[in-house]
Amino acid sequence: MSDFTPFEQLLAGHAGLLEDSVHDRWVRAQALFEDRAYREAALLLRELIDLSEGAEVHALTDARLLLARAYFHAALLDPAIAAAREVLASDPGEAYAHLLIGRSLQRQSKHDEAAPHLRLASLLGGYDEASAITSA
């Protein structure tokens, strides 16, 4: 029987209370995102990416994309844009990263800057501007 609350158990490795693997942290970050704890997921994902510095950049695409999504859903729009641009640096054809940048720019009322990213998202991934983020 653990003395930790379920949330504390979820973040235990992040807080240094338990030793865990990178995989354990990745699974925990995904669970936090699914539970709509976007800020907490972003903290853990940023830590994982920073710890993985020097790893093959393409291997971090999923973590970087989930980080961008977590920032977007937490209304942290500048970090969402920055994280999505990190994805595009290694994978310029990642349609969802373009969509996140476009929608983040829209929310900042930067419609002219958003338009090319939204067009690319539509062309590369078939994302409909109106529904793609809500279904993610």
Side-chain angles (χ1 to χ4, degrees), residues 1-120:
M1 185 86 177
S2 175
D3 293 330
F4 299 112
T5 67
F7 186 73
E8 289 171 330
Q9 288 175 341
L10 198 55
L11 289 176
H14 178 71
L17 300 173
L18 299 173
E19 289 296 321
D20 59 354
S21 69
V22 170
H23 175 73
D24 293 335
R25 292 177 184 196
W26 168 244
V27 169
R28 207 166 39 255
Q30 289 175 311
L32 285 166
F33 184 88
E34 289 172 16
D35 288 341
R36 296 184 172 152
Y38 301 120
R39 289 176 184 259
E40 293 83 357
L43 287 171
L44 190 52
L45 288 161
R46 180 82 266 163
E47 180 182 274
L48 282 170
I49 291 167
D50 291 346
L51 286 173
S52 300
E53 190 173 320
E56 185 177 328
V57 175
H58 187 71
L60 298 174
T61 298
D62 289 343
R64 289 184 196 282
L65 194 55
L66 188 59
L67 175 62
R69 291 176 64 199
Y71 283 144
F72 178 84
H73 287 295
L76 298 169
L77 302 177
D78 287 331
I81 292 168
R85 289 189 193 282
E86 288 178 17
V87 171
L88 292 177
S90 65
D91 188 359
E94 176 51 62
Y96 202 81
H98 283 289
L99 180 66
L100 286 168
I101 291 172
R103 292 300 300 269
S104 295
L105 289 168
Q106 275 184 329
R107 288 175 71 180
Q108 294 177 330
S109 297
K110 298 177 181 177
H111 301 286
D112 290 342
E113 291 178 54
H117 290 285
L118 295 173
R119 279 194 299 276
L120 279 170

